[in-house]
Amino acid sequence: MAIERWHLTFPGHLIAEPVVSRLVSDHDLVINLRRADIDLEVGWIILEVSGDDDRLAAGRAYLEEAGVTVADPGGDVLLG
Amino acid sequence: MAALIEGRALVPRHGTEEGTRVSFVQGLRCRECARPAEIGPVHVCELCFGPLEVVYDYEAMAAAVSRASIAAGPPSLWRYADLLPALPGTAAEDRVDLGAGLTPLVPAPRLGAALGLDDLWLKNDTVNPSFSFKDRVVSVALTVARRLGFDTAACASTGNLANSVAAHAAHAGMDAYVFVPADLEQGKVLASAVYGPTLIAVKGTYDDVNRLCGEIASEHRWAFVNVNLRPFYAEGSKTIGFEIAEQLDWTLPDHVVAPMASGSMLVKIDKAFDELTRLGLVEERPWRVSGAQASGCAPIATAMKDGTGFVRPVKPSTVAKSLAIGNPADGFYAIDAVRRTGGWMEDVSDAEVVEGMRLLASTEGLFAETAGGVTVASLRRLVATGRVDPTERVVAVISGIGLKTLDAVADVVGPTHTIDAGYDDFAAAISAQ
């Protein structure tokens, strides 16, 4: 079981979609919401996500394919 | 509050003598939920994953710090040691100090005239030991790292940070692991490799490098300067603001324009001015901060301009690689500082970046890397759009030397004439000019 921290950024057309709940129902991940800011146009959520490595990778791929940006809550590690 | 470091307690004793120095560091605190955290190699709040920042005892600091005490300090960023996160027990000889800081603040009348500004100054950070402002943050981070018991420094970088970590680690006798993208220009690789770190070139996209280095940072007990030491590392950028004020005879400028990658430098310059005011070291007056990005990687400027303040990660594509941070950690805070002070943000094309580099070099004799071109070109736009008043005292931060990004100008500058070695050939070339 691995634990990752994801910063999800949603485009407007996904705000009303149950994207995060599908991480649980379709990808068997355990999620723990830490912070969020969502309005009608755009939104972000910071999650702690638990699961085995394969499911985490599949969950991330699902989000990215859906149009959600998945990033590290701490920002990029690679700097100038 | 006590911090457990390798099984031993590091107890802040702020306001008390520690050898020859006093430390005013009280601990860490989450910028989002204000939850306190113990001093140690941590950068995010365990509760909300917000960023941690250093907390100081400003009352004790104000009683101890004066313009005279600062002037009596060394000719480097460490003259502001009392305002930095030098942990308890850190003596002057413990600092990892290559002499970074106290860089020139010079008037720029010719560039000012070209941009339409009456009182423009340049903060020339190209003259730092590894030729960029990163020496400020690395010097502070590795000083803290040694105090916390680390013997290995690390970073992931596309150039400046790699150079600086490798150089400072060599100076301090620390091991260093430096991660760079495998397609990084040879000049930048060599400028780090010469210091003797373990230099690892990682194949893949910037996202791949980020992901790997995030994993490595969590798996190894290294001082990953911009990860687990980030609260301390970031504080080093305050010294740009401290120096600007001191070099202007302890006054604040009207406006500072700074390049933005993570956004941290701009945030910390604003914080420096706030601290100097709070400590009574400068007269209280308004100041403005404005940010500059390249359009090929402008998540912060875009969020500012679209009015949302909502920083969406992007995939960088710009000649200004030192600013190519697609997921900027301090973007939100940079927008907050700019909004609060009445500044603005601009982003400019790669062609404008190169033109900015040329303009800076040809008017003031200062060859800056691409980030400097971003700053100059953005400043030009800020003036043209009325966001900067022509009569304001403006300071533009020039953060790194142009010799690191020669490729950016290789196609647009070169010999004016190429002639055979005869005087007539020379005369003909000149007369045709």
Side-chain angles (χ1 to χ4, degrees):
Chain A
M1 175 79 76
I3 301 174
E4 295 188 356
R5 296 170 179 184
W6 293 353
H7 182 294
L8 310 184
T9 306
F10 295 84
H13 71 278
L14 289 179
I15 293 295
E17 297 296 318
V19 175
V20 173
S21 70
R22 287 191 180 129
L23 289 175
V24 180
S25 61
D26 296 359
H27 297 280
D28 198 22
L29 295 170
V30 176
I31 63 170
N32 187 353
L33 174 64
R34 296 304 181 97
R35 273 192 294 140
D37 184 2
I38 300 172
D39 61 26
L40 295 176
E41 302 292 326
V42 71
W44 59 259
I45 299 175
I46 294 178
L47 299 170
E48 187 173 63
V49 191
S50 310
D52 66 41
D53 289 341
D54 290 345
R55 293 186 189 281
L56 283 167
R60 177 187 282 263
Y62 154 70
L63 290 171
E64 291 176 339
E65 194 169 318
V68 177
T69 303
V70 184
D72 187 315
D76 282 352
V77 173
L78 181 68
L79 296 185
Chain B
M1 183 187 303
L4 285 174
I5 311 296
E6 290 286 279
R8 62 187 168 80
L10 180 63
V11 183
R13 285 172 285 179
H14 48 89
T16 60
E17 288 292 333
E18 296 288 341
T20 59
R21 302 303 310 174
V22 172
S23 175
F24 301 104
V25 176
Q26 291 183 310
L28 299 174
R29 180 174 56 207
C30 176
R31 296 184 70 167
E32 292 297 325
C33 71
R35 187 175 192 243
E38 296 178 340
I39 294 172
V42 290
H43 68 298
V44 292
C45 173
E46 282 303 310
L47 182 64
C48 75
F49 300 161
L52 297 175
E53 67 175 350
V54 179
V55 180
Y56 299 95
D57 182 347
Y58 286 114
E59 192 173 333
M61 190 188 286
V65 179
S66 66
R67 295 178 184 178
S69 71
I70 290 170
S76 76
L77 67 87
W78 288 105
R79 67 203 282 105
Y80 310 104
D82 289 335
L83 291 79
L84 294 172
L87 298 183
T90 305
E93 58 269 25
D94 295 330
R95 297 172 189 152
V96 179
D97 184 9
L98 277 172
L102 211 60
T103 58
L105 178 71
V106 294
R110 283 169 47 77
L111 178 61
L115 299 179
L117 291 169
D118 296 341
D119 192 13
L120 174 63
W121 297 69
L122 301 175
K123 183 60 174 164
N124 179 8
D125 254 25
T126 71
V127 299
N128 277 309
S130 74
F131 311 107
S132 87
F133 94 101
K134 291 293 187 187
D135 289 329
R136 298 176 182 274
V137 288
V138 171
S139 179
V140 172
L142 292 192
T143 296
V144 172
R146 287 215 301 198
R147 181 70 187 117
L148 293 177
F150 287 101
D151 57 14
T152 302
C155 74
S157 167
T158 57
N160 289 333
L161 182 60
N163 299 164
S164 187
V165 166
H168 281 82
H171 180 72
M174 299 174 76
D175 292 333
Y177 284 80
V178 172
F179 298 86
V180 299
D183 61 356
L184 193 63
E185 299 93 325
Q186 188 186 34
K188 292 180 178 176
V189 174
L190 297 180
S192 293
V194 71
Y195 298 109
T198 300
L199 197 151
I200 299 172
V202 183
K203 297 176 183 173
T205 65
Y206 278 21
D207 282 349
D208 295 332
V209 181
N210 265 310
R211 202 167 299 165
L212 171 66
C213 292
E215 188 177 348
I216 290 169
S218 65
E219 292 293 325
H220 291 265
R221 196 187 177 281
W222 294 341
F224 223 108
V225 294
N226 59 309
V227 182
N228 55 356
L229 292 181
R230 185 172 177 82
F232 310 101
Y233 161 94
E235 288 285 282
S237 287
K238 291 193 307 188
T239 58
I240 298 174
F242 296 151
E243 290 176 19
I244 289 171
E246 185 180 2
Q247 290 168 319
L248 292 175
D249 197 19
W250 293 108
T251 62
L252 300 182
D254 297 308
H255 210 140
V256 174
V257 179
M260 296 189 300
S262 71
S264 176
M265 182 211 286
L266 180 146
V267 170
K268 295 300 182 178
I269 290 172
D270 176 63
K271 182 178 181 182
F273 289 173
D274 179 67
E275 288 184 342
L276 293 177
T277 304
R278 182 194 293 225
L279 296 170
L281 294 171
V282 297
E283 188 175 330
E284 186 169 358
R285 56 154 299 172
W287 69 84
R288 297 200 282 168
V289 289
S290 287
Q293 292 204 290
S295 299
C297 184
I300 312 175
T302 300
M304 176 86 196
K305 289 161 122 180
D306 70 17
T308 64
F310 196 102
V311 180
R312 303 171 212 213
V314 301
K315 298 205 179 299
S317 176
T318 171
V319 68
K321 290 192 171 62
S322 62
L323 302 182
I325 308 301
N327 180 24
D330 286 276
F332 171 80
Y333 304 106
I335 291 170
D336 178 63
V338 168
R339 282 178 170 168
R340 180 168 31 77
T341 64
W344 192 244
M345 294 183 186
E346 274 298 348
D347 59 278
V348 292
S349 69
D350 282 358
E352 290 174 288
V353 172
V354 174
E355 176 53 29
M357 294 169 70
R358 293 179 68 181
L359 182 62
L360 176 60
S362 62
T363 55
E364 297 297 341
L366 179 52
F367 184 23
E369 61 143 308
T370 46
V374 170
T375 301
V376 170
S378 294
L379 177 55
R380 183 199 285 267
R381 283 204 183 186
L382 290 165
V383 176
T385 55
R387 298 285 184 178
V388 171
D389 186 318
T391 64
E392 285 185 307
R393 170 165 286 179
V394 179
V395 176
V397 179
I398 307 301
S399 55
I401 198 166
L403 295 174
K404 295 193 184 194
T405 56
L406 283 171
D407 50 311
V409 294
D411 293 338
V412 295
V413 297
T416 306
H417 304 286
T418 300
I419 61 172
D420 291 327
Y423 187 84
D424 290 345
D425 295 291
F426 164 72
I430 292 299
S431 64
Q433 192 165 291

